[in-house]
Amino acid sequence: MAPLLALLVLVFVWGSHPSTPVVVVIDLFLAGAVLAAVFHAEVIARRVGEPFGALVLAVAVTVIEVGLIVTLMVAGGDETETLARDTVFAAVMITCNGIIGLSILAAALRDRLAVFNAEGSATAFATVITLATLSLVLPTFTTSASGPEFTSSQLAFAAVASLALYGLFLVVQTVRHRSHFLPEDEEAGDAPEEHGPPPSRAAALCSFGLLLVSLIAVVGLAKVSSGAIEDGVKSIGAPQSAVGVVIALLVLMPETLAATRNARRGRVQISFNLGYGSAMASIGLTIPVIALASIWLDGPLVLGLGSTEIVLLVLTALVSSLTLLPGRATLQEGGVHLILFAAFLFLAFNP
């Protein structure tokens, strides 16, 4: 019922300027639609199997994120020139440190060691860090445009490179080396007991329709409440960049819950697929969409990260490489990633 109710609320509030109590109600339905979207994506995922399941979840979350970014950028004017950068970077930090850290922690508490496929996970993370560097770090150091911005040709190259890398990874994940992204039991041909039989074709098609309704409701409600989100960030004295963090936290909340559930079942590889897949899709799909949207968006498009964010990204790359290399991790590695995530959140609101 959540997608249908959220869509009904959207019909009533569309084009209005709601008061604070109404915005609270809108945000509750928005959160419900986000949870419903990922729930129905998970139903589809169980129907198509892994690693296609994690891919469905990642793409669904990214569609929501891209919709929120574009609607807020259109509504916000010049104040949202860094929104795409802030949201994508937040998604990378949330997934690579928050989701991965929680997954390791949950699995290590269950089995003492979090075991995963080092080859598949390293391939995914290498793609994530390359996409982040090409799209978010290079604009800070290029000289053709003033400030941390790309020229039109540079932005076009970043968009094409992002799509190419993401498309290549999908081929590797789903065709060429699919076994690298499966849990040990599924790689050996054993179906996990926790999931039971897959849903029927009719149930999967129903979930697909409700997933589309959820996505429409999320994007529409976010546009209606966008002003309240920005006002709330300003009221606590946080910088404008914190708006992107709030968006990413909202969108990736259900993804985090799904990854943690899988880790508790011992399916750490699926948790990693969800985390790194979301980060990869966030960059690989958002940057091309923003590049197209920049044709009709007024004002500059700032993509380059500041020095603090670059330091956090480099540290994340080093720590993640050491975590993934052995193919297993302990509570210590989970704690390191979670502390990095906490540092990112703290500095986002207290730069």
Side-chain angles (χ1 to χ4, degrees), residues 38-329:
V38 178
F39 168 80
H40 290 295
E42 191 169 24
V43 173
I44 300 171
R46 290 180 56 200
R47 173 68 183 180
V48 300
E50 295 296 344
F52 300 99
L55 176 62
V56 171
L57 288 171
V59 171
V61 167
T62 304
V63 170
I64 297 172
E65 180 185 6
V66 172
L68 290 172
I69 292 173
V70 173
T71 52
L72 289 177
M73 288 185 71
V74 170
D78 294 339
E79 292 186 355
T80 59
E81 61 184 16
T82 64
L83 182 62
R85 177 201 68 184
D86 299 331
T87 306
V88 170
F89 178 66
V92 172
M93 297 303 292
I94 291 169
T95 53
C96 294
N97 288 315
I99 291 180
I100 298 303
L102 282 174
S103 298
I104 293 174
L105 186 66
L109 288 174
R110 177 184 186 267
D111 299 320
R112 296 184 64 85
L113 280 176
V115 181
F116 49 88
N117 192 315
E119 294 174 313
S121 301
T123 299
F125 180 71
T127 308
V128 170
I129 207 66
T130 301
L131 286 170
T133 302
L134 288 176
S135 302
L136 303 178
V137 177
L138 283 183
T140 303
F141 300 98
T142 53
T143 57
S144 296
S146 59
E149 302 174 31
F150 271 149
T151 62
S152 298
S153 58
Q154 290 170 342
L155 182 59
F157 173 80
V160 172
S162 297
L163 281 176
L165 277 175
Y166 187 54
L168 179 61
F169 176 79
L170 293 183
V171 173
V172 170
Q173 183 186 34
T174 60
V175 181
R176 297 283 294 183
H177 300 285
R178 184 185 174 194
S179 62
H180 292 178
F181 301 90
L182 295 177
E184 291 182 349
D185 54 358
E186 293 186 30
E187 187 177 351
D190 301 326
E193 296 179 359
E194 295 89 346
H195 281 253
S200 64
R201 183 171 180 269
L205 288 175
C206 179
S207 287
F208 179 74
L210 290 172
L211 174 62
L212 294 179
V213 173
S214 299
L215 297 178
I216 294 172
V218 167
V219 174
L221 292 177
K223 179 175 176 58
V224 173
S225 61
S226 60
I229 295 175
E230 295 178 353
D231 292 340
V233 168
K234 291 178 181 178
S235 66
I236 62 175
Q240 184 69 23
S241 59
V243 174
V245 178
V246 173
I247 293 173
L249 285 171
L250 173 66
V251 171
L252 291 172
M253 176 182 61
E255 194 84 338
T256 303
L257 296 176
T260 305
R261 285 200 305 269
N262 276 283
R264 287 176 178 171
R265 298 168 184 162
R267 295 159 57 83
V268 182
Q269 186 58 50
I270 301 303
S271 299
F272 280 24
N273 290 348
L274 289 167
Y276 291 134
S278 295
M280 200 181 310
S282 178
I283 307 173
L285 300 180
T286 301
I287 297 301
V289 171
I290 295 301
L292 288 176
S294 65
I295 297 175
W296 67 82
L297 289 175
D298 296 329
L301 178 62
V302 177
L303 290 177
L305 296 172
S307 55
T308 302
E309 291 79 13
I310 292 177
V311 168
L312 287 174
L313 185 62
V314 171
L315 187 56
T316 297
L318 293 174
V319 170
S320 298
S321 299
L322 296 174
T323 297
L324 298 175
L325 183 62
R328 59 190 63 207

